[in-house]
Amino acid sequence: MQDALIINTRDLDFQLFEVLQAETLTRRARHADHSRETFGAALDTAHAVAVETFAPHNRLLDEHEPQFDGQRVSMPDEVKQALDALRGTGFLAAGKDYEWGGMQLPSLISFACLSLFKSANIATSSYAMLTTANANVIERFGSATQKRKYLRALFEGRAFGTMALTEPQAGSSLSDLVTTATPNDDGTYSIRGSKIFISGGDHELSENIVHLVLARIPGGPPGVKGISLFTVPKFHVNDDGSLGARNDVALAGLIHKMGWRGTTSTMLSFGEHGECVGELVGEPHHGLAYMFHMMNEARIGVGLGAVMLGYRGYLASLDYARERPQGRRPDNKNPLDPQLPLIEHADVRRMLLAQKAYVEGAYALCLYAARLVDEQHTGESDAARADAALLLDLLTPVVKSWPSQWCLEANSLAIQIHGGYGYTREYPVEQFYRDNRLNMIHEGTHGIQAIDLLGRKVVMKQGAALALLAREIRHTIDATRSHAPLHAHAQALDHAWRDLSLTVEALLPALAHETERALANANAFLEAFGHIVLAWTWLKQAIVASAALPGARDETDADFYRGKLHACQWFFRWELPRVALMLATLRSLDDTTLEMAPQWF
Amino acid sequence: MQDALIINTRDLDFQLFEVLQAETLTRRARHADHSRETFGAALDTAHAVAVETFAPHNRLLDEHEPQFDGQRVSMPDEVKQALDALRGTGFLAAGKDYEWGGMQLPSLISFACLSLFKSANIATSSYAMLTTANANVIERFGSATQKRKYLRALFEGRAFGTMALTEPQAGSSLSDLVTTATPNDDGTYSIRGSKIFISGGDHELSENIVHLVLARIPGGPPGVKGISLFTVPKFHVNDDGSLGARNDVALAGLIHKMGWRGTTSTMLSFGEHGECVGELVGEPHHGLAYMFHMMNEARIGVGLGAVMLGYRGYLASLDYARERPQGRRPDNKNPLDPQLPLIEHADVRRMLLAQKAYVEGAYALCLYAARLVDEQHTGESDAARADAALLLDLLTPVVKSWPSQWCLEANSLAIQIHGGYGYTREYPVEQFYRDNRLNMIHEGTHGIQAIDLLGRKVVMKQGAALALLAREIRHTIDATRSHAPLHAHAQALDHAWRDLSLTVEALLPALAHETERALANANAFLEAFGHIVLAWTWLKQAIVASAALPGARDETDADFYRGKLHACQWFFRWELPRVALMLATLRSLDDTTLEMAPQWF
């Protein structure tokens, strides 16, 4: 059992440098100091820190989750030690300007580094991920004062960040938030209310915590149009950056989860004593839009976390399948022959191949999303930047939801390959499965992602995003021309996309006039759309592998490309065909769920 | 949160008395003393004991799993109290002869009673389930002495039973067992070897434990043909039934599981000091066949357990969806309107309907299997008894695997409906999910079930079992004639069955000559076959509901039948269509997994 097998580095190189051509990013002014070597050095450092300080306490932290004694939150020392090591590398500001102490790494590379921490220890890495996402909001929308007070502390990890949206009476329904922010004479606001499920909401891992809190300024409009965003530090920050008194933010309790136990999930009380002070971010009543900047980043982060949990389980079960002897071929009844390794059994290979297809496909998707973030910021024209933003907007629900569903399935297959050992806590895979089950829920459930995709993203700007994706998919299909073994896949993808387009056309009238009916099966749309996007992602990988195979360095390298081509084939033969069924049922505007009366249950 | 909502009793009545016509069993001599009233009384007693003594410690036992201090195994007192209450009711011998202190209840009714204990507390109920299954083997194959020594103690719950097959070096590969049984002069055998994953292998819940152990008598044939079965008690039993000295069976350690934590899973050492005495059951070298008597019963029990975990989660999430206000209809943007209960959202109803379709469908299948056990034992002709045995043999892999997969999926949906609360340990559903994940593995993994189904059951007796099932399905299709709304479903089932038959025909040559290739996709066959069987099960329920609806007692009763018809529709529209895809890929003898070389991963 190699507990610290956190990535297939050959695959990471393939994704970054062969598929996404990360090196071309060094041609851009912002990254001009960088090179393949500096990228490699960053990845190597992240890998070493992840393996040496994050991975070793992954199970320990699961078994000894954070405790709250009414005064303070405690957890194993290893968490702080790992985060201190992370701070030391400067990764919290990896993509930031040199002036903030950053490295000006492309998003693609810093995201790839983050993936290694997530793989090694999803719970410990969350504190860092939330901090970066929080800082990005303040950097983009905060006042000069807010930036001065918080940014450097966040980038250096002296303060950690949170996002405080959810309230007990309003889970997914943000329009029902009731936390209030009453203006004070000095321009600050008095915050009062309760938040729940706030990850990293309390701990002693950093000197301070900066909460980004959604609240209503009294007198504002009802619903989501009356929500504003505030910075609310755990400890007040003086103008010179030193810490002042404790703010009136209290930990009301920790939530105990089935997985991902090491990241505190908290109930927070703001202003129990009427003394919680917050500072408005940006304009009043525009808070939700600002927060969605963080939320979208967090959603991509959730997708990546789901991938890495899946990846970790895949590698563990691959290792196990190669080592563990068990049984013989079905046509060999001779019990005196030695047992074969599990991997020799077709059904075990199926479970490995499915995992490979899910996790490497989803990894490619998440890294592509990070590449779009780069394109959005440093793309070579306004049009290229706008296109990247549009495409990312369309794909975000898939990046969040697809890995949450299918890399969880991968974790289930990893358990299955381990047999009885798989469900024991003596082996690592059951934890990945528990950890991963949260991802279909937090930062917007599957149902929310589905409505976002079909009800908003598909129709926004008269379908411009969908048209853009269609062009990208067409490029990929065209690029298969010189790769005969991929023609059948290209045709299948083309067919699936037409099927999807017809379905969207069929749904458009209902989307305009019968929203409830049109969205009733949005979940099936999300699943079908996601599978098509993943098929596309696999075809892109297959083209690169097919082109590289004849010039492979050696047999090991050739085997790697053959594996890519074969996993692509598996996805096209065993997964993509599901899409047609879902789309047909969607086109029929099937009303089975709508018509099910509550009293019939 | 109604933690003790263990069953929809209306559904239980429907399954037993409307679909499976349990009352007709009272016409048989063995059950002549029984009536609808005595059946009802047994069910009521089981329900009361399950709710009052099993359900209340379900979470407690998960949080305080059995501990081994090197001397003894301890666990919360509530487990023994619940099992004492169960003993008091006589349910351990519910189906047994009056002479053994039994009630001569039909299998169907005792199985339904068992389902209530499983729903209330899967871990505590396992001790009882294993004991009954163990006693059944001794009753059927044991010597008069073995019966005298063990049976009454098992039926009265003074002794509990286990099945000790698995060894560390031989998980699913029983032919690689190495535990030995060396004949002693007095006719007993000295047992020596290690067993692993032995459920209920040690505890202090009963005075004694009777292990049924597979071992090899030296000199016997290699492989499965040289395996014999032995009774190995924890404490020797004197001829008068009193307990003697401790046998040489030692607990080497407890296994710590992700779920189902309350049932001890043990590593046992037999004969460490050369003094472990066992008694041969039946003939030498025929042990595996005897053990499969218990194994098949356990497999049906695993299926039922998976159903009840799914059922419990379904009821919890239904309750939650009715109580929890959250959001508004997608076409209502007015935040001043009150929030609606979750159940009003189409996507939540989808998740409830899917759960209902999975758990009530699978419950119907498991109870049908129990009805086949009755038919096998008390059927009105030799032919009827033989047919029932054959059908049960064919269906057992489905009864074991389908609920393990789909009622686990139901548990995932129950979590999803609870949103963030779903993954917290403050709510019950995450435990059901963890508990249920074991079911795809123990008592034969999915992969083993798939090979059993396609490689053995489908082809046995020249396909007689499959032909028999075809006739049964034909009966059901014919019975829809007078129910117009069911015609489309009947047609779909007919079509799916033809598709399956064509697939079997296409696979037969490969099954005979290229076993490995034919079985490479056996898992897909198991899934497709399972979905067809479930569609059939739903159609049977729908026919009964359709016939009863016009004469429903009141609106509540009518709503119940409408719910059944609608869940059937959902299964036929959203689930059955998957089958065609899987069968098409199977017919093509797709070799993607077979061709994937281990070094390509």
Side-chain angles (χ1 to χ4, degrees):
Chain A
M1 180 172 50
Q2 290 183 280
D3 212 354
L5 213 57
I6 64 168
I7 193 76
N8 173 356
T9 50
R10 180 66 189 87
D11 185 39
L12 179 57
D13 279 353
F14 173 77
Q15 304 285 0
L16 294 179
F17 299 108
E18 299 181 63
V19 178
L20 296 172
Q21 306 191 329
E23 235 174 312
T24 61
L25 291 167
T26 61
R27 292 186 213 135
R28 297 183 182 173
R30 183 174 176 80
H31 312 303
D33 294 344
H34 282 288
S35 63
R36 168 94 185 226
E37 286 64 38
T38 64
F39 291 170
L43 291 163
D44 287 347
T45 305
H47 191 269
V49 173
V51 169
E52 287 160 21
T53 71
F54 278 66
H57 70 282
N58 191 46
R59 173 63 78 173
L60 177 81
L61 184 55
D62 178 68
E63 286 173 351
H64 301 277
E65 63 187 340
Q67 300 289 331
F68 178 47
D69 62 7
Q71 297 296 319
R72 56 186 291 274
V73 175
S74 59
M75 62 184 93
D77 294 339
E78 285 82 350
V79 181
K80 188 160 189 309
Q81 288 159 11
L83 290 166
D84 285 343
L86 179 75
R87 281 181 187 101
T89 63
F91 275 120
L92 285 167
K96 296 293 143 190
D97 296 356
Y98 295 135
E99 69 159 299
W100 288 112
M103 306 183 209
Q104 295 197 184
L105 276 170
S107 288
L108 177 58
I109 302 298
S110 51
F111 203 65
C113 292
L114 178 62
S115 77
L116 303 177
F117 297 112
K118 284 184 184 278
S119 181
N121 190 321
I122 192 81
T124 297
S125 68
S126 297
Y127 297 102
M129 194 273 278
L130 287 163
T131 299
T132 305
N134 175 296
N136 287 345
V137 172
I138 296 175
E139 185 183 23
R140 173 126 181 222
F141 302 108
S143 66
T145 312
Q146 283 169 324
K147 290 184 197 178
R148 199 177 57 239
K149 284 170 72 171
Y150 301 122
L151 268 193
R152 195 169 280 273
L154 288 163
F155 287 144
E156 294 176 0
R158 287 179 282 113
F160 280 173
T162 77
M163 56 194 299
L165 290 81
T166 307
E167 298 178 5
Q169 80 293 344
S172 299
S173 184
L174 295 175
S175 99
D176 292 287
L177 299 185
V178 297
T179 295
T180 55
T182 312
N184 299 322
D185 293 341
D186 63 355
T188 64
Y189 289 77
S190 280
I191 312 291
R192 190 186 288 263
S194 296
K195 297 284 179 180
I196 192 168
F197 297 121
I198 309 310
S199 294
D202 206 1
H203 53 71
E204 305 209 337
L205 300 168
S206 53
E207 298 166 8
N208 202 2
I209 299 175
V210 182
H211 305 289
L212 281 172
V213 179
L214 291 182
R216 293 184 181 284
I217 301 171
V224 292
K225 291 177 183 164
I227 296 176
S228 305
L229 183 65
F230 301 86
T231 49
V232 181
K234 177 176 175 181
F235 291 97
H236 292 294
V237 179
N238 301 318
D239 281 345
D240 64 355
S242 64
L243 297 188
R246 180 93 191 228
N247 202 353
D248 181 12
V249 183
L251 177 60
L254 292 179
I255 294 161
H256 301 94
K257 294 167 288 181
M258 72 180 296
W260 208 309
R261 294 184 175 192
T263 304
T264 54
S265 181
T266 61
M267 295 176 278
L268 295 179
S269 288
F270 293 87
E272 263 183 357
H273 306 293
E275 292 170 5
C276 178
V277 178
E279 299 132 349
L280 181 68
V281 175
E283 299 294 312
H285 313 320
H286 285 68
L288 199 61
Y290 306 147
M291 187 61 113
F292 258 84
H293 193 266
M294 178 166 185
M295 175 64 98
N296 280 328
E297 189 170 336
R299 283 179 175 173
I300 298 172
V302 166
L304 183 67
V307 172
M308 301 323 294
L309 287 165
Y311 214 126
R312 191 84 187 278
Y314 165 56
L315 294 178
S317 65
L318 179 58
D319 193 50
Y320 186 79
R322 284 186 164 136
E323 301 299 325
R324 166 87 175 169
Q326 187 79 145
R328 294 162 194 81
R329 292 193 200 286
D331 45 8
N332 179 1
K333 305 287 183 206
N334 184 357
L336 299 179
D337 281 346
Q339 297 197 72
L340 294 173
L342 275 174
I343 200 170
E344 295 293 336
H345 296 288
D347 195 53
V348 172
R349 284 217 292 287
R350 168 186 71 83
M351 294 189 279
L352 290 170
L353 201 43
Q355 286 182 76
K356 180 178 170 76
Y358 299 149
V359 305
E360 292 182 9
Y363 197 36
L365 175 66
C366 288
L367 293 173
Y368 174 68
R371 184 71 170 77
L372 287 177
V373 174
D374 284 318
E375 217 49 33
Q376 186 180 355
H377 292 140
T378 63
E380 293 179 8
S381 66
D382 286 351
R385 290 193 289 274
D387 277 1
L390 195 61
L391 206 48
L392 187 60
D393 217 17
L394 175 67
L395 292 177
T396 297
V398 177
V399 173
K400 196 273 172 184
S401 65
W402 202 92
S404 304
Q405 181 173 356
W406 294 98
C407 297
L408 173 68
E409 179 62 26
N411 285 139
S412 184
L413 293 170
I415 290 176
Q416 197 70 16
I417 287 174
H418 281 74
Y421 297 104
Y423 58 67
T424 67
R425 309 204 301 276
E426 281 76 12
Y427 280 75
V429 286
E430 67 85 28
Q431 186 189 343
F432 305 143
Y433 181 68
R434 286 188 287 107
D435 288 349
N436 220 348
R437 183 59 188 82
L438 276 69
N439 285 315
M440 272 203 281
I441 293 174
H442 57 189
E443 319 306 350
T445 63
H446 248 45
I448 295 292
Q449 304 303 322
I451 289 177
D452 182 43
L453 177 66
L454 183 58
R456 215 168 67 80
K457 302 294 176 64
V458 160
V459 294
M460 67 183 177
K461 303 186 182 178
Q462 287 81 47
L466 205 63
L468 181 58
L469 179 59
R471 282 204 300 281
E472 293 293 325
I473 289 180
R474 170 56 50 200
H475 280 311
T476 305
I477 289 173
D478 290 346
T480 60
R481 270 199 204 124
S482 44
H483 303 278
L486 304 181
H487 287 181
H489 302 338
Q491 212 168 13
L493 179 59
D494 186 39
H495 190 272
W497 184 263
R498 278 169 211 264
D499 214 2
L500 181 101
S501 307
L502 288 174
T503 306
V504 170
E505 264 176 53
L507 289 176
L508 280 178
L511 281 167
H513 306 295
E514 298 176 275
T515 327
E516 190 174 15
R517 186 152 185 226
L519 294 178
N521 302 321
N523 180 72
F525 186 84
L526 177 70
E527 287 208 30
F529 186 84
H531 257 48
I532 291 175
V533 168
L534 263 286
W536 171 50
T537 302
W538 265 112
L539 194 55
K540 287 194 285 186
Q541 293 184 74
I543 291 168
V544 175
S546 174
L549 183 54
R553 288 190 300 274
D554 52 27
E555 267 309 292
T556 306
D557 206 42
D559 283 341
F560 173 79
Y561 293 125
R562 290 184 190 115
K564 283 287 178 192
L565 291 167
H566 217 74
C568 178
Q569 173 180 318
W570 185 87
F571 195 86
F572 273 85
R573 289 203 188 164
W574 287 94
E575 287 290 338
L576 186 62
R578 299 170 188 246
V579 164
L581 287 178
M582 289 187 271
L583 293 175
T585 315
L586 272 159
R587 278 199 296 280
S588 76
L589 280 172
D590 179 70
D591 59 4
T592 309
T593 57
L594 263 190
E595 293 297 315
M596 180 76 188
Q599 67 274 19
W600 295 357
F601 282 105
Chain B
M1 182 173 48
Q2 288 183 280
D3 211 352
L5 213 56
I6 62 167
I7 192 76
N8 173 356
T9 51
R10 179 67 188 87
D11 185 39
L12 179 57
D13 278 354
F14 173 77
Q15 304 285 1
L16 294 180
F17 299 108
E18 299 180 65
V19 178
L20 296 171
Q21 308 192 327
E23 233 174 312
T24 61
L25 292 166
T26 61
R27 290 186 215 136
R28 298 183 180 173
R30 181 172 177 82
H31 312 302
D33 293 344
H34 283 287
S35 63
R36 168 95 185 226
E37 286 64 41
T38 63
F39 290 170
L43 291 162
D44 287 348
T45 304
H47 191 271
V49 173
V51 169
E52 287 160 20
T53 72
F54 277 65
H57 70 281
N58 191 46
R59 173 63 77 172
L60 177 81
L61 184 54
D62 178 66
E63 287 173 351
H64 301 277
E65 63 187 340
Q67 301 288 330
F68 178 47
D69 62 7
Q71 298 296 317
R72 55 185 292 275
V73 175
S74 59
M75 62 182 95
D77 293 341
E78 285 83 349
V79 181
K80 188 161 190 308
Q81 289 160 11
L83 289 166
D84 284 344
L86 179 75
R87 282 180 185 100
T89 63
F91 275 120
L92 285 168
K96 296 293 143 191
D97 295 358
Y98 295 135
E99 69 158 299
W100 289 113
M103 306 182 208
Q104 293 195 186
L105 276 169
S107 287
L108 177 59
I109 302 299
S110 51
F111 203 65
C113 293
L114 177 62
S115 76
L116 303 176
F117 296 113
K118 283 183 183 279
S119 181
N121 191 320
I122 193 80
T124 298
S125 68
S126 296
Y127 297 102
M129 194 273 277
L130 287 163
T131 298
T132 305
N134 175 296
N136 287 344
V137 172
I138 296 175
E139 186 184 21
R140 175 128 178 220
F141 303 107
S143 65
T145 311
Q146 284 168 324
K147 291 185 196 179
R148 198 178 59 239
K149 284 170 75 171
Y150 301 122
L151 268 192
R152 193 170 283 271
L154 289 164
F155 287 144
E156 293 176 2
R158 287 178 282 114
F160 281 174
T162 76
M163 56 195 297
L165 291 81
T166 307
E167 297 178 6
Q169 80 294 345
S172 298
S173 184
L174 295 175
S175 96
D176 292 288
L177 299 184
V178 296
T179 295
T180 55
T182 312
N184 298 322
D185 293 341
D186 63 356
T188 64
Y189 289 78
S190 280
I191 312 291
R192 189 186 290 261
S194 296
K195 297 284 179 179
I196 193 168
F197 297 121
I198 309 310
S199 295
D202 206 1
H203 52 70
E204 305 209 338
L205 300 169
S206 53
E207 297 166 8
N208 202 2
I209 299 176
V210 181
H211 305 289
L212 281 173
V213 179
L214 291 182
R216 294 184 182 284
I217 301 170
V224 294
K225 290 177 183 162
I227 296 175
S228 304
L229 183 66
F230 301 85
T231 49
V232 181
K234 177 176 175 181
F235 291 97
H236 292 293
V237 179
N238 300 317
D239 281 346
D240 64 354
S242 63
L243 297 187
R246 180 93 190 229
N247 203 352
D248 182 10
V249 184
L251 177 60
L254 293 179
I255 294 160
H256 302 94
K257 294 166 289 180
M258 72 180 295
W260 208 309
R261 295 186 175 190
T263 304
T264 54
S265 181
T266 61
M267 294 176 276
L268 295 179
S269 288
F270 293 87
E272 264 183 356
H273 306 291
E275 292 171 4
C276 178
V277 179
E279 300 132 350
L280 181 68
V281 176
E283 298 294 312
H285 314 319
H286 286 67
L288 200 62
Y290 306 147
M291 186 62 112
F292 258 83
H293 193 265
M294 178 167 184
M295 175 63 99
N296 281 327
E297 188 171 336
R299 284 180 173 172
I300 297 172
V302 166
L304 183 67
V307 172
M308 301 323 294
L309 287 165
Y311 213 127
R312 190 83 188 278
Y314 165 56
L315 295 178
S317 65
L318 178 59
D319 194 50
Y320 186 80
R322 284 187 164 134
E323 300 298 326
R324 165 87 175 170
Q326 186 80 148
R328 294 163 193 80
R329 289 191 203 286
D331 46 7
N332 180 1
K333 303 288 180 204
N334 185 355
L336 300 177
D337 281 347
Q339 298 198 72
L340 294 173
L342 275 174
I343 199 170
E344 295 293 335
H345 296 290
D347 194 54
V348 173
R349 284 217 291 288
R350 168 186 71 83
M351 294 189 279
L352 290 169
L353 200 44
Q355 286 182 77
K356 181 179 168 77
Y358 299 149
V359 305
E360 292 182 10
Y363 197 36
L365 175 65
C366 287
L367 292 172
Y368 174 69
R371 184 72 169 78
L372 287 177
V373 174
D374 284 318
E375 217 50 32
Q376 186 181 354
H377 292 141
T378 64
E380 292 178 7
S381 66
D382 286 350
R385 290 192 290 274
D387 277 0
L390 195 61
L391 205 48
L392 186 61
D393 217 15
L394 176 67
L395 292 177
T396 297
V398 178
V399 173
K400 196 274 173 183
S401 65
W402 202 92
S404 304
Q405 181 173 358
W406 294 98
C407 297
L408 174 67
E409 178 62 27
N411 285 141
S412 184
L413 293 169
I415 290 176
Q416 197 69 17
I417 288 174
H418 281 75
Y421 297 104
Y423 58 68
T424 67
R425 309 203 302 275
E426 281 77 11
Y427 281 75
V429 285
E430 65 86 28
Q431 185 189 343
F432 304 144
Y433 181 67
R434 285 188 288 108
D435 287 349
N436 220 348
R437 183 59 188 81
L438 276 68
N439 285 316
M440 273 201 280
I441 294 174
H442 56 190
E443 318 306 352
T445 64
H446 249 45
I448 295 292
Q449 303 304 320
I451 289 177
D452 181 42
L453 178 65
L454 182 58
R456 216 168 66 81
K457 301 296 176 66
V458 160
V459 293
M460 66 183 177
K461 301 184 182 178
Q462 287 82 47
L466 205 64
L468 181 58
L469 179 58
R471 281 205 301 281
E472 292 294 324
I473 289 180
R474 171 55 49 199
H475 279 312
T476 304
I477 290 173
D478 291 346
T480 61
R481 274 205 198 117
S482 44
H483 303 278
L486 303 181
H487 286 179
H489 301 338
Q491 214 167 12
L493 179 59
D494 187 37
H495 189 273
W497 185 262
R498 278 169 211 266
D499 215 2
L500 181 100
S501 306
L502 289 174
T503 306
V504 170
E505 263 175 53
L507 290 176
L508 281 179
L511 281 167
H513 307 295
E514 300 176 275
T515 326
E516 189 174 18
R517 184 151 186 228
L519 293 179
N521 303 319
N523 181 71
F525 186 84
L526 178 69
E527 288 209 28
F529 186 83
H531 258 48
I532 292 174
V533 167
L534 263 286
W536 170 50
T537 302
W538 265 111
L539 194 56
K540 287 194 284 185
Q541 292 185 74
I543 292 168
V544 174
S546 174
L549 183 54
R553 289 191 300 274
D554 52 28
E555 267 309 292
T556 306
D557 206 41
D559 283 341
F560 173 79
Y561 293 125
R562 290 183 189 114
K564 283 287 178 191
L565 290 167
H566 217 72
C568 178
Q569 175 179 316
W570 185 87
F571 194 86
F572 273 85
R573 289 202 188 166
W574 287 93
E575 288 290 338
L576 187 61
R578 299 170 187 246
V579 164
L581 288 179
M582 290 187 271
L583 293 176
T585 316
L586 272 160
R587 277 198 297 277
S588 76
L589 280 171
D590 180 70
D591 58 4
T592 309
T593 56
L594 262 192
E595 293 298 314
M596 180 77 186
Q599 67 273 21
W600 295 357
F601 281 106

